[in-house]
Amino acid sequence: MRHSTKALAVFALTAACVPALADQFPSRSITVIIPAAPGGGTDTFGRKVAERAEKELGQTMAIENKGGGSGSIGLSQVVTAKPDGYTVGFVWNSPITTIPHSLNVPYKRTDYSALMSIGYSSYVICVRPDFPAKTGKELLDVLKSNPDKYTIGNDGVGGTMQLASERIFAKVGAKVRQVPFKGAGDTAKNFLGGHIDIYGGSIPPIQQHVMAGKAKCPLLTSAERNAALPDASGLADVGLASEETVLWWGLIVPVKTPDAVKAKLEAAFMKAGASDEMKTVMANKGAVNRPLGAAETNKLIASEYDALEKVALSIGLKKK
């Protein structure tokens, strides 16, 4: 009985300490790991939202760029950090919902929990000016009527663009030959050079060429339209809103981080993500500001992971 009484006392003391620690959080600087090189969109958005969250939390944010492994290296450092709220990861969705289907990554879906997400940017499917389609519906009709005739470039085998486009093509019964490149910039270069028929990638690398009349973009991979390419159909326009796959960004922490600490971080970053500064930075990059809380973001991760896993299996992707 003595041992039981002592154990209960220790448990009660420990339980009492958790809220106290959460009340004091944060008492020092928070490290924000960005699993990408400095200078890109993910780095820009991560730094801006962290800068704004400093004002909400009253502590500084130390940014650490940990690129490599398609984002998996930095992400693994986040999930293995001490789950105390002092290490968070600002990530894009690829290392979470896409590359685990083609690479053996050192983490599982159950190793992390999302705090929130700040918004998204559409991927886009573009063709040359003389391609016989102006709208998203016309594009899909042409592709469906000409199986394996056309080639589409993407940003790598098993990458988000490949799976996003295959998700759409499979739904309408179209067959298009996928050609992988080193990134969206490389895809755009080969598209403009006439080496592939269709550009598949993010908006910024192709936007200036659309404005110059060297390309037209009939279809986005987002449900809604995007102001950066106002003539492009959203998936809702072609009855495929449920097949949306976009590039989105958010924050994660190790799954065992105390709920009270996660709640404090979520509240601070939600305010930061909805700030005018964040909206401006994202709009300048052709992205849509759409802050979602922890529950919605975790639901998004689960549904997107499952949908892209099915696509990966359907096209025979093998893990390396």
Side-chain angles (χ1 to χ4, degrees), residues 181-195:
F181 294 101
K182 296 178 181 179
D186 193 28
T187 304
K189 179 180 177 180
N190 280 275
F191 166 72
L192 294 167
H195 304 298

Side-chain angles (χ1 to χ4, degrees), residues 41-279:
T42 298
D43 180 61
T44 299
F45 297 157
R47 288 175 183 272
K48 177 54 67 174
V49 76
E51 176 188 310
R52 187 64 181 78
E54 286 181 339
K55 301 175 183 178
E56 304 296 334
L57 293 167
Q59 291 291 344
T60 58
M61 301 273 178
I63 306 296
E64 292 186 7
N65 292 90
K66 301 288 183 180
S70 299
S72 64
I73 293 176
L75 186 54
S76 67
Q77 292 188 29
V78 176
V79 302
T80 56
K82 186 176 180 180
D84 55 8
Y86 288 99
T87 300
V88 303
F90 183 83
V91 302
W92 74 106
N93 53 322
S94 180
I96 293 177
T97 63
T98 304
I99 68 166
H101 307 307
S102 57
L103 295 177
N104 286 306
V105 296
Y107 48 82
K108 304 183 296 296
R109 285 175 60 188
T110 52
D111 290 338
Y112 55 83
S113 178
L115 295 174
M116 58 86 67
S117 51
I118 62 168
Y120 68 93
S121 180
S122 313
Y123 288 105
V124 66
I125 296 175
C126 305
V127 292
R128 280 184 281 280
D130 60 350
F131 192 90
K134 291 183 179 180
T135 67
K137 183 181 184 307
E138 290 174 353
L139 171 67
L140 294 176
D141 286 343
V142 170
L143 297 180
K144 183 177 179 181
S145 300
N146 296 276
D148 292 322
K149 177 179 177 179
Y150 297 103
T151 54
I152 181 171
N154 61 59
D155 53 5
V157 176
T160 306
M161 185 63 224
Q162 180 186 12
L163 299 188
S165 59
E166 287 291 353
R167 185 178 179 183
I168 297 167
F169 297 154
K171 198 69 176 181
V172 300
K175 293 185 178 181
V176 185
R177 290 178 286 144
Q178 296 277 350
V179 182
F181 294 101
K182 296 178 181 179
D186 193 28
T187 304
K189 179 180 177 180
N190 280 275
F191 166 72
L192 294 167
H195 304 298
I196 51 175
D197 301 306
I198 305 169
Y199 168 86
S202 54
I203 292 175
I206 199 67
Q207 191 173 16
Q208 61 179 318
H209 304 294
V210 175
M211 295 174 65
K214 297 179 180 178
K216 61 183 178 182
C217 302
L219 187 64
L220 300 165
T221 66
S222 57
E224 302 302 321
R225 293 192 173 215
N226 191 304
L229 292 172
D231 293 332
S233 302
L235 290 178
D237 295 320
V238 296
L240 297 174
S242 62
E243 305 307 313
E244 175 182 82
T245 308
V246 294
L247 169 62
W248 57 264
W249 303 268
L251 287 118
I252 63 167
V253 289
V255 70
K256 293 184 179 180
T257 303
D259 288 342
V261 170
K262 286 193 284 190
K264 275 196 171 184
L265 289 168
E266 177 187 0
F269 278 105
M270 281 295 286
K271 287 184 179 180
S275 66
D276 289 339
E277 300 100 306
M278 201 70 231
K279 291 176 182 178

